[in-house]
Amino acid sequence: MKKQPKASHFIDGKYIEDDSGIPIDVVFPATGEVIGRVFAATPAIVERALASAQLAQTHWAGMTGRDRGRVLTRASEMIRERNRELSVLETYDTGKPLQETLVADATSAADALEYFGGMAGSLTGEHIKLGADWVYTVREPLGVCVGIGAWNYPTQIACWKGAPALACGNVMVFKPSERTPLCALLVAEILIEAGLPKGVFNVVQGLGEVGASLVSDPRVAKVSLTGSVPTGRKVYAAAASQMKHVTMELGGKSPLVVFDDADLDNAVSGAINGNFYSSGQVCSNGTRVFVQNSIKEAFLKRLVERVKSAVIGDPLDEATNFGPMISHEQMDIVLGYIDQGVAEGARLLCGGTKLEGDGFFVAPTVFADVTDDMTIAQEEIFGPVMSVLGFETEDEVIARANATEFGLSAGVFTRDLVRGHRVIGQLQAGSCFINSYNDAPVEAPFGGVKSSGVGRENSKEAIKHYSQVKSVFVRMGDVESAF
Ligand code: NAD
């Protein structure tokens, strides 16, 4: 098999196999070919991973931040040096075009390791003077953290969670999505080569039940999940029952608002980036594109012209810029939504079909005349399906954009920057864009409001979610007491 990993799990600094777990085939989405097989973690494997992590934590947290940071920075350099190898693996794991993975996956993982590696030496507390007495605070790690990933960005998710966790002195057991088990193993291997002590970053494979067993283990202090809202509800509830910290990076149905004074081609580019990158399998996508009525037909004409120029095909060919869905199942879900869009009266402008062949390709699809009550305007599709909705006024579009349980992202295209800031200020979303869409630099906080999530990844904000503050009151004089 083309991409068979050395073993299913990476624990205590080495690959570990246990073929008594449920077999999980690794499928290349572009062809349907089985390219590897891993086995879900058995309870014995989960136990080994958690025990090794717990043992490693005291030593790792006891190192200076600068020493921890140096390991992460070295790993970041190694990832950049091996970018092509990692990108090819990401393309096999996910089906995303190599044209994308070469610039968006290992590179983003390296950015996170570099950023948090650089920050690790400066994670300090405060000194608070109270007359002669004083308080000092210490930023302490949480302990054993569990990371659980979705299948759309397996290398990036492992590092967006692992890098800040490790920088703060935590250890992590990471469970990738069962659809994309390969990339996190290579990340763990590189971290060890970069000098990470064994046990600090372990990887175990498995379906949801393995994730659930990690979440409910009393040794685990924090859970960071990237996944759907229904999974988020279950994981959040399980973590809450033991008062654990959480970060929830969940789904969305984000609005992208295009006003009539916008630069039309830039707005179309934003809509394309926000709907068709990674074949639409991006949580923050702006899948409800609200276009002011006076420019709607011009926008649609330009959009369809450009969508029809997508290069669809073998994702390993660097000329390809649009790949398959992750799985047959996901392809069927997306095709089901497209049928529903047609049945509910939306106007199909392009795409809407499966492409011939064994791969899980759905053509980039644009619907016009979508109304707020249609299923395709309400539910997260997680595929290449854009809904374009018309609007007249600013107040109207703000109200309609906010009429959703989700709140991950929002974007506005306008040349009137006062209006741009005014509208963004009223949209209920965590990660917003003005005259752009879907940028995710490590320096910027990333995450959602409402049902789209809790907590933030990236930036200095992430540090707050992987550490806790101890405050120490120090009295310099005598202690007064009542008796
Ligand atoms: P999913 O919710 O089906 O699975 C996510 C992960 O959770 C998988 O690893 C799965 O095995 C695990 N899991 C499932 N049930 C579990 C349980 N009971 N306990 C613990 N773990 C469990 O999501 P998916 O289909 O892999 O990914 C797509 C979803 O992820 C979309 O909704 C998308 O919007 C979201 N997503 C969000 C972000 C973000 O940063 N906000 C990023 C990428 C994807």
Side-chain angles (χ1 to χ4, degrees), residues 146-153 156-157 160-161 175-180 206-215 223 225-232 234-235 238 248-253 281-285 326 330 380 382 406 408 446-448 452-453 457:
V146 161
I148 301 177
W151 38 257
N152 54 349
Y153 284 84
Q156 182 189 85
I157 292 172
W160 278 21
K161 297 187 188 310
K175 189 199 85 65
S177 163
E178 55 274 29
R179 300 253 182 236
T180 51
L207 308 167
E209 63 197 33
V210 171
S213 73
L214 289 166
V215 172
V223 181
L225 169 79
T226 297
S228 62
V229 172
T231 304
K234 283 189 229 163
V235 172
M248 294 282 143
E249 292 292 355
L250 308 176
K253 188 77 198 174
Q281 303 164 112
V282 179
C283 52
S284 50
N285 271 354
I326 186 72
Q330 187 64 18
E380 183 184 45
F382 222 56
F406 299 110
L408 186 50
F446 182 83
S452 291
E457 294 198 305

Short mmCIF file of all heavy atoms in Angstrom, two decimals, residues 146-153 156-157 160-161 175-180 206-215 223 225-232 234-235 238 248-253 281-285 326 330 380 382 406 408 446-448 452-453 457, ligand 1:
data_model
loop_
_atom_site.label_atom_id
_atom_site.label_comp_id
_atom_site.label_asym_id
_atom_site.label_seq_id
_atom_site.Cartn_x
_atom_site.Cartn_y
_atom_site.Cartn_z
N VAL A 146 -5.90 16.78 25.65
CA VAL A 146 -6.29 15.91 24.55
C VAL A 146 -6.66 16.79 23.37
O VAL A 146 -7.42 17.75 23.52
CB VAL A 146 -7.47 15.00 24.97
CG1 VAL A 146 -8.19 14.43 23.76
CG2 VAL A 146 -6.96 13.87 25.85
N GLY A 147 -6.11 16.47 22.20
CA GLY A 147 -6.48 17.15 20.96
C GLY A 147 -7.22 16.17 20.08
O GLY A 147 -6.79 15.02 19.92
N ILE A 148 -8.35 16.60 19.53
CA ILE A 148 -9.12 15.73 18.63
C ILE A 148 -9.36 16.50 17.34
O ILE A 148 -9.85 17.63 17.37
CB ILE A 148 -10.48 15.32 19.26
CG1 ILE A 148 -10.23 14.57 20.58
CG2 ILE A 148 -11.29 14.45 18.30
CD1 ILE A 148 -11.50 14.19 21.33
N GLY A 149 -8.99 15.88 16.21
CA GLY A 149 -8.99 16.61 14.95
C GLY A 149 -10.11 16.25 13.99
O GLY A 149 -10.65 15.14 14.03
N ALA A 150 -10.45 17.20 13.12
CA ALA A 150 -11.31 16.95 11.96
C ALA A 150 -10.42 16.52 10.80
O ALA A 150 -9.19 16.53 10.92
CB ALA A 150 -12.09 18.21 11.61
N TRP A 151 -11.04 16.19 9.65
CA TRP A 151 -10.26 15.61 8.56
C TRP A 151 -9.80 16.62 7.52
O TRP A 151 -9.12 16.25 6.58
CB TRP A 151 -11.00 14.48 7.87
CG TRP A 151 -12.49 14.69 7.70
CD1 TRP A 151 -13.46 14.11 8.45
CD2 TRP A 151 -13.16 15.50 6.74
NE1 TRP A 151 -14.71 14.51 8.02
CE2 TRP A 151 -14.55 15.37 6.97
CE3 TRP A 151 -12.73 16.34 5.70
CZ2 TRP A 151 -15.51 16.03 6.21
CZ3 TRP A 151 -13.68 17.00 4.94
CH2 TRP A 151 -15.06 16.84 5.21
N ASN A 152 -10.16 17.88 7.67
CA ASN A 152 -9.83 18.78 6.56
C ASN A 152 -8.41 19.35 6.60
O ASN A 152 -7.86 19.66 5.57
CB ASN A 152 -10.88 19.89 6.46
CG ASN A 152 -11.05 20.64 7.75
OD1 ASN A 152 -10.56 20.22 8.80
ND2 ASN A 152 -11.75 21.75 7.69
N TYR A 153 -7.85 19.48 7.80
CA TYR A 153 -6.48 20.04 7.91
C TYR A 153 -5.67 19.23 8.93
O TYR A 153 -5.31 19.75 10.00
CB TYR A 153 -6.56 21.53 8.30
CG TYR A 153 -6.96 22.40 7.14
CD1 TYR A 153 -8.29 22.59 6.80
CD2 TYR A 153 -5.98 23.01 6.34
CE1 TYR A 153 -8.65 23.36 5.69
CE2 TYR A 153 -6.34 23.78 5.24
CZ TYR A 153 -7.67 23.95 4.92
OH TYR A 153 -8.01 24.71 3.83
N GLN A 156 -2.17 20.76 10.07
CA GLN A 156 -2.36 22.06 10.71
C GLN A 156 -3.05 21.91 12.07
O GLN A 156 -2.62 22.52 13.06
CB GLN A 156 -3.23 22.92 9.79
CG GLN A 156 -3.48 24.31 10.30
CD GLN A 156 -4.53 25.03 9.46
OE1 GLN A 156 -5.73 24.88 9.68
NE2 GLN A 156 -4.08 25.79 8.49
N ILE A 157 -4.08 21.10 12.14
CA ILE A 157 -4.83 20.97 13.39
C ILE A 157 -3.92 20.38 14.49
O ILE A 157 -3.94 20.84 15.64
CB ILE A 157 -6.11 20.12 13.20
CG1 ILE A 157 -7.12 20.87 12.31
CG2 ILE A 157 -6.76 19.77 14.54
CD1 ILE A 157 -8.35 20.06 11.89
N TRP A 160 -1.73 23.38 15.44
CA TRP A 160 -2.45 24.50 16.05
C TRP A 160 -2.82 24.15 17.50
O TRP A 160 -2.91 25.02 18.34
CB TRP A 160 -3.74 24.83 15.27
CG TRP A 160 -3.53 25.68 14.05
CD1 TRP A 160 -2.35 25.85 13.35
CD2 TRP A 160 -4.50 26.49 13.38
NE1 TRP A 160 -2.56 26.71 12.29
CE2 TRP A 160 -3.87 27.12 12.28
CE3 TRP A 160 -5.86 26.74 13.60
CZ2 TRP A 160 -4.54 27.98 11.42
CZ3 TRP A 160 -6.53 27.60 12.72
CH2 TRP A 160 -5.88 28.21 11.65
N LYS A 161 -3.03 22.88 17.77
CA LYS A 161 -3.32 22.47 19.15
C LYS A 161 -2.02 22.16 19.90
O LYS A 161 -1.83 22.58 21.04
CB LYS A 161 -4.24 21.24 19.15
CG LYS A 161 -5.60 21.53 18.51
CD LYS A 161 -6.55 20.38 18.67
CE LYS A 161 -7.85 20.58 17.88
NZ LYS A 161 -8.53 21.85 18.05
N LYS A 175 -5.69 12.72 18.87
CA LYS A 175 -6.38 11.72 18.05
C LYS A 175 -6.82 12.39 16.75
O LYS A 175 -7.71 13.24 16.73
CB LYS A 175 -7.63 11.17 18.76
CG LYS A 175 -8.20 9.99 17.99
CD LYS A 175 -9.64 9.67 18.32
CE LYS A 175 -10.64 10.48 17.57
NZ LYS A 175 -10.68 10.28 16.11
N PRO A 176 -6.20 11.98 15.63
CA PRO A 176 -6.63 12.55 14.36
C PRO A 176 -8.01 12.01 13.98
O PRO A 176 -8.47 11.02 14.56
CB PRO A 176 -5.59 12.02 13.36
CG PRO A 176 -4.60 11.24 14.12
CD PRO A 176 -5.14 10.98 15.48
N SER A 177 -8.62 12.64 13.00
CA SER A 177 -9.85 12.07 12.43
C SER A 177 -9.54 10.69 11.86
O SER A 177 -8.47 10.46 11.28
CB SER A 177 -10.37 12.98 11.33
OG SER A 177 -11.31 12.27 10.54
N GLU A 178 -10.50 9.78 11.96
CA GLU A 178 -10.33 8.43 11.41
C GLU A 178 -10.19 8.46 9.89
O GLU A 178 -9.73 7.52 9.28
CB GLU A 178 -11.50 7.54 11.82
CG GLU A 178 -12.90 8.05 11.50
CD GLU A 178 -13.48 8.99 12.57
OE1 GLU A 178 -12.70 9.68 13.26
OE2 GLU A 178 -14.72 9.01 12.70
N ARG A 179 -10.60 9.59 9.27
CA ARG A 179 -10.49 9.70 7.80
C ARG A 179 -9.08 10.08 7.38
O ARG A 179 -8.69 9.86 6.24
CB ARG A 179 -11.41 10.81 7.30
CG ARG A 179 -12.86 10.59 7.63
CD ARG A 179 -13.62 10.21 6.38
NE ARG A 179 -15.01 10.05 6.66
CZ ARG A 179 -15.70 8.94 6.40
NH1 ARG A 179 -15.10 7.90 5.85
NH2 ARG A 179 -16.98 8.87 6.67
N THR A 180 -8.32 10.72 8.26
CA THR A 180 -6.98 11.22 7.89
C THR A 180 -5.97 10.90 8.99
O THR A 180 -5.52 11.79 9.72
CB THR A 180 -7.03 12.76 7.69
OG1 THR A 180 -7.66 13.33 8.85
CG2 THR A 180 -7.81 13.15 6.46
N GLY A 206 -8.31 6.31 15.97
CA GLY A 206 -9.59 5.72 16.36
C GLY A 206 -10.78 6.53 15.92
O GLY A 206 -10.66 7.67 15.45
N LEU A 207 -11.94 5.93 16.10
CA LEU A 207 -13.21 6.59 15.80
C LEU A 207 -13.61 7.43 17.00
O LEU A 207 -12.84 7.58 17.97
CB LEU A 207 -14.27 5.52 15.49
CG LEU A 207 -13.86 4.49 14.44
CD1 LEU A 207 -14.82 3.32 14.42
CD2 LEU A 207 -13.81 5.12 13.06
N GLY A 208 -14.85 7.91 16.97
CA GLY A 208 -15.33 8.77 18.05
C GLY A 208 -15.20 8.15 19.42
O GLY A 208 -14.93 8.84 20.41
N GLU A 209 -15.37 6.83 19.51
CA GLU A 209 -15.35 6.22 20.85
C GLU A 209 -13.96 6.30 21.50
O GLU A 209 -13.86 6.38 22.73
CB GLU A 209 -15.86 4.77 20.81
CG GLU A 209 -15.00 3.86 19.98
CD GLU A 209 -15.72 2.55 19.61
OE1 GLU A 209 -16.94 2.59 19.43
OE2 GLU A 209 -15.03 1.53 19.50
N VAL A 210 -12.92 6.30 20.68
CA VAL A 210 -11.57 6.47 21.25
C VAL A 210 -11.44 7.91 21.78
O VAL A 210 -10.94 8.15 22.88
CB VAL A 210 -10.47 6.16 20.21
CG1 VAL A 210 -9.10 6.56 20.73
CG2 VAL A 210 -10.50 4.68 19.85
N GLY A 211 -11.96 8.86 20.98
CA GLY A 211 -11.97 10.25 21.43
C GLY A 211 -12.72 10.37 22.75
O GLY A 211 -12.26 11.01 23.70
N ALA A 212 -13.88 9.72 22.82
CA ALA A 212 -14.71 9.82 24.03
C ALA A 212 -13.99 9.24 25.23
O ALA A 212 -14.08 9.77 26.35
CB ALA A 212 -16.05 9.11 23.78
N SER A 213 -13.25 8.13 25.02
CA SER A 213 -12.56 7.52 26.17
C SER A 213 -11.43 8.43 26.66
O SER A 213 -11.14 8.49 27.86
CB SER A 213 -12.05 6.12 25.83
OG SER A 213 -10.94 6.20 24.97
N LEU A 214 -10.81 9.17 25.74
CA LEU A 214 -9.77 10.13 26.17
C LEU A 214 -10.40 11.28 26.95
O LEU A 214 -9.90 11.69 28.00
CB LEU A 214 -9.05 10.70 24.94
CG LEU A 214 -8.11 9.75 24.19
CD1 LEU A 214 -7.73 10.35 22.83
CD2 LEU A 214 -6.84 9.47 25.01
N VAL A 215 -11.52 11.78 26.44
CA VAL A 215 -12.17 12.94 27.06
C VAL A 215 -12.61 12.62 28.49
O VAL A 215 -12.51 13.45 29.39
CB VAL A 215 -13.39 13.39 26.21
CG1 VAL A 215 -14.20 14.47 26.93
CG2 VAL A 215 -12.94 13.88 24.84
N VAL A 223 -9.52 19.51 26.91
CA VAL A 223 -9.85 18.90 25.62
C VAL A 223 -10.00 20.00 24.58
O VAL A 223 -10.73 20.97 24.80
CB VAL A 223 -11.18 18.12 25.69
CG1 VAL A 223 -11.48 17.48 24.34
CG2 VAL A 223 -11.13 17.07 26.78
N LEU A 225 -11.19 20.31 20.73
CA LEU A 225 -11.81 19.57 19.62
C LEU A 225 -11.97 20.46 18.41
O LEU A 225 -12.42 21.61 18.53
CB LEU A 225 -13.22 19.08 20.03
CG LEU A 225 -14.08 18.53 18.88
CD1 LEU A 225 -13.67 17.12 18.51
CD2 LEU A 225 -15.57 18.57 19.22
N THR A 226 -11.64 19.94 17.25
CA THR A 226 -12.06 20.55 15.99
C THR A 226 -13.01 19.56 15.34
O THR A 226 -12.62 18.42 15.05
CB THR A 226 -10.85 20.83 15.08
OG1 THR A 226 -10.01 21.77 15.74
CG2 THR A 226 -11.28 21.42 13.76
N GLY A 227 -14.24 19.96 15.15
CA GLY A 227 -15.23 19.04 14.60
C GLY A 227 -16.57 19.72 14.41
O GLY A 227 -16.67 20.95 14.43
N SER A 228 -17.60 18.90 14.27
CA SER A 228 -18.93 19.45 13.99
C SER A 228 -19.61 19.88 15.29
O SER A 228 -19.21 19.48 16.39
CB SER A 228 -19.77 18.39 13.30
OG SER A 228 -19.90 17.28 14.17
N VAL A 229 -20.66 20.66 15.16
CA VAL A 229 -21.40 21.12 16.34
C VAL A 229 -21.98 19.94 17.14
O VAL A 229 -21.85 19.91 18.37
CB VAL A 229 -22.48 22.15 15.94
CG1 VAL A 229 -23.37 22.50 17.12
CG2 VAL A 229 -21.82 23.41 15.38
N PRO A 230 -22.62 18.95 16.49
CA PRO A 230 -23.15 17.83 17.29
C PRO A 230 -22.07 17.11 18.10
O PRO A 230 -22.28 16.78 19.28
CB PRO A 230 -23.76 16.88 16.24
CG PRO A 230 -24.07 17.77 15.07
CD PRO A 230 -23.01 18.83 15.07
N THR A 231 -20.90 16.89 17.51
CA THR A 231 -19.80 16.26 18.27
C THR A 231 -19.35 17.20 19.39
O THR A 231 -19.10 16.77 20.52
CB THR A 231 -18.61 15.94 17.34
OG1 THR A 231 -19.09 15.11 16.29
CG2 THR A 231 -17.50 15.23 18.08
N GLY A 232 -19.29 18.49 19.08
CA GLY A 232 -18.89 19.47 20.08
C GLY A 232 -19.80 19.44 21.30
O GLY A 232 -19.32 19.52 22.44
N LYS A 234 -21.46 16.91 22.48
CA LYS A 234 -21.18 15.70 23.29
C LYS A 234 -19.87 15.85 24.06
O LYS A 234 -19.78 15.52 25.24
CB LYS A 234 -21.05 14.48 22.35
CG LYS A 234 -22.37 13.96 21.86
CD LYS A 234 -22.13 12.64 21.14
CE LYS A 234 -22.82 12.67 19.80
NZ LYS A 234 -22.39 11.69 18.86
N VAL A 235 -18.83 16.32 23.37
CA VAL A 235 -17.51 16.41 24.00
C VAL A 235 -17.51 17.47 25.10
O VAL A 235 -16.96 17.25 26.19
CB VAL A 235 -16.43 16.70 22.92
CG1 VAL A 235 -15.09 17.00 23.55
CG2 VAL A 235 -16.33 15.52 21.95
N ALA A 238 -19.29 16.05 28.13
CA ALA A 238 -18.48 15.05 28.84
C ALA A 238 -17.36 15.74 29.62
O ALA A 238 -17.06 15.38 30.77
CB ALA A 238 -17.90 14.05 27.85
N MET A 248 -13.41 24.57 21.73
CA MET A 248 -14.29 23.94 20.75
C MET A 248 -14.22 24.73 19.45
O MET A 248 -14.67 25.88 19.40
CB MET A 248 -15.75 23.95 21.26
CG MET A 248 -15.98 23.11 22.49
SD MET A 248 -16.10 21.38 22.04
CE MET A 248 -15.28 20.64 23.44
N GLU A 249 -13.63 24.13 18.43
CA GLU A 249 -13.58 24.75 17.10
C GLU A 249 -14.57 23.99 16.23
O GLU A 249 -14.28 22.88 15.76
CB GLU A 249 -12.17 24.64 16.52
CG GLU A 249 -11.14 25.49 17.25
CD GLU A 249 -11.36 26.98 17.06
OE1 GLU A 249 -12.25 27.38 16.30
OE2 GLU A 249 -10.64 27.75 17.72
N LEU A 250 -15.76 24.56 16.03
CA LEU A 250 -16.84 23.78 15.43
C LEU A 250 -17.26 24.34 14.07
O LEU A 250 -16.51 25.06 13.45
CB LEU A 250 -18.00 23.71 16.42
CG LEU A 250 -17.57 23.25 17.83
CD1 LEU A 250 -18.74 23.29 18.80
CD2 LEU A 250 -16.95 21.86 17.81
N GLY A 251 -18.44 23.98 13.64
CA GLY A 251 -18.86 24.30 12.28
C GLY A 251 -19.40 25.71 12.12
O GLY A 251 -19.44 26.49 13.06
N GLY A 252 -19.82 26.01 10.89
CA GLY A 252 -20.35 27.34 10.62
C GLY A 252 -21.24 27.38 9.39
O GLY A 252 -21.36 26.39 8.66
N LYS A 253 -21.88 28.51 9.22
CA LYS A 253 -22.67 28.79 8.00
C LYS A 253 -22.53 30.29 7.81
O LYS A 253 -23.46 31.08 7.99
CB LYS A 253 -24.13 28.38 8.21
CG LYS A 253 -24.96 28.45 6.94
CD LYS A 253 -24.68 27.27 6.03
CE LYS A 253 -25.14 27.51 4.63
NZ LYS A 253 -24.74 26.40 3.72
N GLN A 281 -14.41 22.27 2.01
CA GLN A 281 -14.38 21.59 3.32
C GLN A 281 -13.59 22.44 4.33
O GLN A 281 -12.57 22.02 4.86
CB GLN A 281 -13.77 20.20 3.17
CG GLN A 281 -14.52 19.35 2.15
CD GLN A 281 -13.73 18.13 1.69
OE1 GLN A 281 -14.09 17.02 2.00
NE2 GLN A 281 -12.65 18.34 0.99
N VAL A 282 -14.08 23.64 4.55
CA VAL A 282 -13.44 24.57 5.48
C VAL A 282 -14.53 25.12 6.41
O VAL A 282 -15.56 25.60 5.95
CB VAL A 282 -12.75 25.74 4.72
CG1 VAL A 282 -12.10 26.70 5.70
CG2 VAL A 282 -11.71 25.20 3.75
N CYS A 283 -14.26 25.03 7.72
CA CYS A 283 -15.27 25.41 8.71
C CYS A 283 -15.70 26.86 8.61
O CYS A 283 -16.85 27.20 8.83
CB CYS A 283 -14.71 25.15 10.09
SG CYS A 283 -13.10 25.91 10.31
N SER A 284 -14.75 27.74 8.27
CA SER A 284 -15.02 29.18 8.30
C SER A 284 -15.60 29.69 6.97
O SER A 284 -15.76 30.90 6.80
CB SER A 284 -13.73 29.92 8.62
OG SER A 284 -12.69 29.47 7.79
N ASN A 285 -15.91 28.81 6.05
CA ASN A 285 -16.36 29.26 4.73
C ASN A 285 -17.57 30.19 4.79
O ASN A 285 -18.48 30.00 5.59
CB ASN A 285 -16.70 28.05 3.85
CG ASN A 285 -15.47 27.58 3.09
OD1 ASN A 285 -14.42 28.22 3.16
ND2 ASN A 285 -15.60 26.49 2.37
N ILE A 326 -13.62 14.40 0.82
CA ILE A 326 -12.83 13.46 1.62
C ILE A 326 -13.26 12.01 1.45
O ILE A 326 -12.44 11.10 1.49
CB ILE A 326 -12.87 13.85 3.12
CG1 ILE A 326 -11.92 12.99 3.95
CG2 ILE A 326 -14.28 13.73 3.69
CD1 ILE A 326 -10.49 13.28 3.77
N GLN A 330 -19.20 11.66 2.37
CA GLN A 330 -19.30 13.13 2.35
C GLN A 330 -19.81 13.60 0.98
O GLN A 330 -20.61 14.53 0.90
CB GLN A 330 -17.94 13.76 2.68
CG GLN A 330 -17.97 15.27 2.85
CD GLN A 330 -18.81 15.73 4.05
OE1 GLN A 330 -19.11 14.94 4.94
NE2 GLN A 330 -19.22 16.98 4.04
N GLU A 380 -24.87 23.57 7.60
CA GLU A 380 -23.50 23.48 7.11
C GLU A 380 -23.41 22.29 6.15
O GLU A 380 -23.74 21.16 6.53
CB GLU A 380 -22.52 23.27 8.28
CG GLU A 380 -21.09 23.26 7.80
CD GLU A 380 -20.09 22.96 8.91
OE1 GLU A 380 -20.32 22.03 9.69
OE2 GLU A 380 -19.06 23.65 8.96
N PHE A 382 -20.50 21.62 4.14
CA PHE A 382 -19.11 21.16 4.16
C PHE A 382 -18.73 20.52 2.83
O PHE A 382 -18.21 19.41 2.75
CB PHE A 382 -18.86 20.20 5.32
CG PHE A 382 -17.54 20.48 6.01
CD1 PHE A 382 -17.25 21.73 6.51
CD2 PHE A 382 -16.56 19.49 6.12
CE1 PHE A 382 -16.04 22.00 7.12
CE2 PHE A 382 -15.34 19.75 6.72
CZ PHE A 382 -15.08 21.01 7.22
N PHE A 406 -25.07 29.54 14.18
CA PHE A 406 -23.61 29.54 14.05
C PHE A 406 -23.03 30.95 14.20
O PHE A 406 -23.75 31.93 14.05
CB PHE A 406 -23.20 29.01 12.67
CG PHE A 406 -23.63 27.60 12.40
CD1 PHE A 406 -24.63 27.32 11.47
CD2 PHE A 406 -23.03 26.53 13.05
CE1 PHE A 406 -25.01 26.02 11.19
CE2 PHE A 406 -23.40 25.22 12.77
CZ PHE A 406 -24.40 24.96 11.84
N LEU A 408 -19.13 31.46 13.35
CA LEU A 408 -17.68 31.29 13.24
C LEU A 408 -17.02 32.49 12.55
O LEU A 408 -16.15 33.14 13.10
CB LEU A 408 -17.36 29.97 12.50
CG LEU A 408 -15.89 29.59 12.43
CD1 LEU A 408 -15.22 29.65 13.79
CD2 LEU A 408 -15.72 28.20 11.84
N PHE A 446 -8.32 32.78 16.36
CA PHE A 446 -9.26 32.08 15.46
C PHE A 446 -10.26 31.29 16.29
O PHE A 446 -9.87 30.52 17.18
CB PHE A 446 -8.50 31.13 14.53
CG PHE A 446 -9.41 30.44 13.55
CD1 PHE A 446 -9.81 31.07 12.39
CD2 PHE A 446 -9.91 29.17 13.83
CE1 PHE A 446 -10.69 30.45 11.51
CE2 PHE A 446 -10.79 28.54 12.95
CZ PHE A 446 -11.18 29.19 11.78
N GLY A 447 -11.55 31.47 16.00
CA GLY A 447 -12.57 30.69 16.71
C GLY A 447 -13.92 31.36 16.58
O GLY A 447 -14.03 32.45 16.02
N GLY A 448 -14.94 30.68 17.10
CA GLY A 448 -16.29 31.14 16.86
C GLY A 448 -17.05 31.55 18.09
O GLY A 448 -16.61 31.34 19.23
N SER A 452 -20.78 27.93 17.23
CA SER A 452 -19.55 27.59 16.50
C SER A 452 -18.34 27.39 17.38
O SER A 452 -17.28 26.98 16.89
CB SER A 452 -19.24 28.68 15.46
OG SER A 452 -20.19 28.64 14.43
N GLY A 453 -18.46 27.65 18.67
CA GLY A 453 -17.31 27.28 19.48
C GLY A 453 -17.09 28.08 20.74
O GLY A 453 -17.79 29.04 21.04
N GLU A 457 -8.06 29.61 19.08
CA GLU A 457 -6.75 29.04 18.74
C GLU A 457 -5.88 30.18 18.19
O GLU A 457 -6.37 31.25 17.85
CB GLU A 457 -6.91 27.92 17.70
CG GLU A 457 -7.67 26.75 18.31
CD GLU A 457 -7.53 25.44 17.57
OE1 GLU A 457 -7.82 25.40 16.37
OE2 GLU A 457 -7.14 24.45 18.21
P1 NAD B 1 -16.78 15.24 13.43
O1 NAD B 1 -17.45 16.05 14.45
O2 NAD B 1 -17.53 14.13 12.81
O3 NAD B 1 -15.45 14.57 14.03
C1 NAD B 1 -14.42 15.36 14.58
C2 NAD B 1 -13.55 14.49 15.46
O4 NAD B 1 -14.26 14.13 16.63
C3 NAD B 1 -13.11 13.16 14.81
O5 NAD B 1 -11.76 12.92 15.17
C4 NAD B 1 -14.02 12.15 15.48
O6 NAD B 1 -13.47 10.85 15.54
C5 NAD B 1 -14.16 12.72 16.86
N1 NAD B 1 -15.36 12.32 17.61
C6 NAD B 1 -16.57 11.97 17.13
N2 NAD B 1 -17.41 11.69 18.14
C7 NAD B 1 -16.71 11.87 19.29
C8 NAD B 1 -17.04 11.76 20.68
N3 NAD B 1 -18.26 11.40 21.09
N4 NAD B 1 -16.08 12.04 21.59
C9 NAD B 1 -14.85 12.44 21.21
N5 NAD B 1 -14.49 12.55 19.91
C10 NAD B 1 -15.41 12.28 18.96
O7 NAD B 1 -16.24 16.27 12.34
P2 NAD B 1 -15.59 15.96 10.92
O8 NAD B 1 -16.67 15.47 10.03
O9 NAD B 1 -14.34 15.20 11.10
O10 NAD B 1 -15.16 17.44 10.47
C11 NAD B 1 -16.03 18.33 9.89
C12 NAD B 1 -16.57 19.30 10.89
O11 NAD B 1 -15.50 19.95 11.58
C13 NAD B 1 -17.36 20.42 10.26
O12 NAD B 1 -18.51 20.70 11.01
C14 NAD B 1 -16.41 21.59 10.30
O13 NAD B 1 -17.02 22.85 10.26
C15 NAD B 1 -15.68 21.35 11.57
N6 NAD B 1 -14.39 22.05 11.57
C16 NAD B 1 -14.21 23.12 12.39
C17 NAD B 1 -13.01 23.83 12.38
C18 NAD B 1 -12.80 25.03 13.25
O14 NAD B 1 -11.65 25.36 13.50
N7 NAD B 1 -13.82 25.69 13.74
C19 NAD B 1 -11.98 23.41 11.54
C20 NAD B 1 -12.19 22.30 10.73
C21 NAD B 1 -13.40 21.62 10.75
#
